[in-house]
């Protein structure tokens, strides 16, 4: 997938959807059901762009129920209504998992496998700008169809195990996900297809390709 560069020096996350509209950045679906025992497919799309200093992400979701129990960064947001971005930012085996629930609570980990993750420190987390259409206050599961959005501005320095002066011209491997492990109807969707016996997003071998033009 081609990722377009946007020339903007400073942007707040709440303004990101309008900016991406103006730049004609298209949405991509997260709609692959990889595991038959979890057939539910909420409506999920995302779009991605980048600047000289950050990756820009905007997700749109419509699902049957929605939950945001966690309001503190680096807590178990994957059990809430959650969208995720996994990226192999360097030319090595290390990848980052950035997970965000529907109120903008973010988890950021890094390592070479599921069992070897290091969480980002509070300063790094604070630099990730986020906006959520449902606000930022936690709530238990609402059992009604809900549409929601989150927008994220992720500085290159968030990928704290690597030095990234620029992404222009780079080919990067990544995948995008939607999950809700503890919702009334658990689900596990991906952008790029996966082939594992059970849900496991920590599989870089199934990442797709991003071309930063």
């Amino acid at each position: 997938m081609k990722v377009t560069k946007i020339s903007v020096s400073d942007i707040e996350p709440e303004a990101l959807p309008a900016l991406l509209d103006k730049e004609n950045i298209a949405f991509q679906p997260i709609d692959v059901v990889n595991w038959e025992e979890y057939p539910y497919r909420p409506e999920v799309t995302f779009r991605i762009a980048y600047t000289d200093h950050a990756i820009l992400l905007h997700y749109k979701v419509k699902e049957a129920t929605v939950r945001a129990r966690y309001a503190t960064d680096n807590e178990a947001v994957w059990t809430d209504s959650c969208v995720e971005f996994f990226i192999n930012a360097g030319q090595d085996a290390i990848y980052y998992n950035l997970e965000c629930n529907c109120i903008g609570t973010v988890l950021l980990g890094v390592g070479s496998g599921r069992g070897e993750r290091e969480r980002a420190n509070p300063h790094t987390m604070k630099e990730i700008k986020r906006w959520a259409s449902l606000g930022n206050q936690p709530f238990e599961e609402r059992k009604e169809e809900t549409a929601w959005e989150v927008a994220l501005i992720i500085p290159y320095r968030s990928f704290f195990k690597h030095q990234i002066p620029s992404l222009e011209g780079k080919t990067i491997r990544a995948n995008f996900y939607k999950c809700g492990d503890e919702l009334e109807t658990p689900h596990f969707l991906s952008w790029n297809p996966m082939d594992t016996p059970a849900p496991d997003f920590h599989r870089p071998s199934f990442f797709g390709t991003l071309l930063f033009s």
Side-chain angles (χ1 to χ4, degrees):
M1 179 176 63
K2 183 179 178 181
V3 183
T4 299
K5 186 176 184 180
I6 295 177
S7 296
V8 60
S9 58
D10 190 27
I11 181 75
E12 292 302 316
E14 60 269 25
L16 187 55
L19 173 65
L20 297 181
D21 284 346
K22 180 181 176 182
E23 297 289 337
N24 296 312
I25 305 300
F27 282 96
Q28 308 294 327
I30 301 175
D31 62 358
V32 180
V33 174
N34 299 285
W35 301 282
E36 292 181 358
E37 60 268 43
Y38 299 101
Y40 175 56
R41 184 189 284 117
E43 297 176 26
V44 189
T45 58
F46 76 97
R47 52 185 172 175
I48 180 172
Y50 75 109
T51 70
D52 283 329
H53 307 289
I55 292 176
L56 313 176
L57 278 176
H58 178 210
Y59 291 86
K60 281 188 173 184
V61 179
K62 182 186 286 186
E63 56 187 331
T65 69
V66 64
R67 191 188 89 171
R69 179 172 293 172
Y70 295 100
T72 302
D73 282 349
N74 281 330
E75 291 188 329
V77 295
W78 66 88
T79 63
D80 284 338
S81 297
C82 184
V83 289
E84 304 186 353
F85 173 50
F86 282 39
I87 178 172
N88 187 194
Q91 302 300 313
D92 52 28
I94 294 174
Y95 66 93
Y96 297 82
N97 57 301
L98 189 147
E99 310 175 14
C100 181
N101 71 6
C102 60
I103 58 169
T105 308
V106 173
L107 177 154
L108 178 61
V110 63
S112 58
R114 170 181 282 278
E116 304 166 350
R117 314 306 292 165
E118 175 185 344
R119 299 282 171 87
N121 64 41
H123 175 74
T124 298
M125 299 305 298
K126 189 175 182 179
E127 289 190 323
I128 300 171
K129 295 181 180 181
R130 69 293 293 260
W131 164 80
S133 63
L134 296 181
N136 59 13
Q137 296 303 304
F139 55 86
E140 290 299 323
E141 190 164 5
R142 298 172 180 171
K143 298 185 178 181
E144 57 186 17
E145 185 175 77
T146 304
W148 55 273
E149 303 177 37
V150 293
L152 299 166
I153 300 175
I154 310 161
Y156 295 164
R157 57 182 173 268
S158 300
F159 306 113
F160 55 95
K161 293 293 186 182
H162 296 86
Q163 296 291 326
I164 304 176
S166 173
L167 284 175
E168 191 165 2
K170 299 289 181 64
T171 298
I172 300 291
R173 292 182 57 77
N175 212 345
F176 302 82
Y177 308 112
K178 167 70 177 78
C179 62
D181 290 34
E182 293 182 359
L183 297 190
E184 183 177 64
T185 306
H187 53 274
F188 305 90
L189 305 180
S190 68
W191 167 65
N192 208 56
M194 307 179 69
D195 185 11
T196 61
D200 183 3
F201 291 160
H202 289 265
R203 295 295 187 96
S205 58
F206 296 107
F207 287 3
T209 301
L210 304 180
L211 307 174
F212 287 80
S213 59

